[in-house]
Amino acid sequence: MGKNVDITKVVRQHADMENFFTGGFAVRGQRGRREQIEISEVADNVTGEFENNQNDKPAGDIKIELEKIADEVRCCRKCGLGSLRTNAVPGEGKANAQIVFVGEGPGADEDAQGRPFVGRAGKLLDKIITGCGLNRSDVFICNILKCRPPGNRDPGAEEIISCLPYLQRQIELINPDVIVALGAHAARTLLDTNKSIGQLRGQFHEYYTGIGRAAIKLMATYHPAYLLRNYSQDNRRKVWEDMKKVLAELDLPIPERGKK
Ligand code: URA
């Protein structure tokens, strides 16, 4: 892979991992980081540190297509949530990401900003990502629902049916090597099952984008919001075990702390 060693990054990665395991939630300012870049709706392939996925389409073409989907989402009125939102939240990240994280749906912070996972759960997701030795700009982050259900209630069946095609098209375009489904709603929807997240997490499943296309590996894990509510050593260890399997599948280095 021919990576240059970035000492600042290695130190931060260790600190994040330590923090994640020891229970600290102080999220350090992200802005000053050397490699941090402004993340637009669909970020460019900026770091070049991690190899692209197996997509045969140029990243620029994928980005244009993703932006078209994002524009459709912002105009969408297919379900009742369209008239309740402040902002739609199409998703953001690297066009040819190796990993796509899929959450449940926007909360209040996401609705206000039009960006996924920017509230408390998002800060924890950021910590999980940096603990894996990656940056937010290395991955694509989105949700099953693109608009906030009022009061953060569970997504309704009709809302999922209306919204899912946007996510399916995003995944098909990005064609990541691994999807990480965050929480029961994402995992059950993508895998079309009623199994519990406890049953689904910890092992790879297969997600199919279409006939004749290779299955994409899907790892289910606990949603960061669930982790925040149930912040036990055991739950954090389970999430880390799941993420280590993802890193191993992608042949990416597993940070020292996590090897133990
Ligand atoms: N929870 C989610 O599932 N998605 C977000 O974007 C934020 C919180």
Side-chain angles (χ1 to χ4, degrees), residues 6 42 104 121 161 219 223:
D6 177 344
V42 180
E104 179 179 325
I161 290 166
M219 174 60 71
H223 193 288

Coordinates of all heavy atoms in Angstrom, one line a residue, residues 6 42 104 121 161 219 223:
D6 N 2.4 8.8 9.5 CA 2.1 10.1 10.0 C 2.0 10.0 11.5 O 1.1 9.4 12.0 CB 0.7 10.5 9.4 CG 0.3 11.9 9.9 OD1 0.8 12.3 11.0 OD2 -0.6 12.5 9.3
V42 N -20.6 15.4 -0.8 CA -19.9 14.2 -1.3 C -18.4 14.6 -1.4 O -18.0 15.3 -2.3 CB -20.4 13.8 -2.7 CG1 -19.7 12.5 -3.1 CG2 -21.9 13.5 -2.6
E104 N -29.7 4.7 11.0 CA -31.2 4.6 11.0 C -31.9 5.7 10.3 O -32.6 5.6 9.3 CB -31.6 4.5 12.4 CG -33.1 4.3 12.7 CD -33.4 4.2 14.2 OE1 -32.6 3.6 14.9 OE2 -34.4 4.8 14.6
A121 N -24.3 11.0 18.8 CA -24.0 9.6 18.3 C -22.9 9.8 17.2 O -22.1 8.9 17.0 CB -25.2 9.0 17.7
I161 N -40.0 2.0 2.8 CA -40.2 1.6 1.5 C -40.0 2.7 0.5 O -39.4 2.6 -0.6 CB -41.7 1.0 1.3 CG1 -41.7 -0.4 2.1 CG2 -42.1 0.8 -0.1 CD1 -43.1 -0.9 2.3
M219 N -21.4 -6.0 7.7 CA -21.2 -6.3 9.1 C -22.2 -5.4 9.9 O -22.3 -4.2 9.7 CB -19.7 -5.9 9.6 CG -19.5 -5.9 11.1 SD -19.6 -7.6 11.8 CE -18.2 -8.4 11.1
H223 N -25.6 0.4 17.2 CA -25.7 1.8 16.8 C -25.0 2.6 17.9 O -25.1 2.4 19.1 CB -27.2 2.2 16.7 CG -27.4 3.5 16.1 ND1 -27.1 4.7 16.7 CD2 -27.9 3.8 14.9 CE1 -27.4 5.7 15.8 NE2 -27.9 5.2 14.7

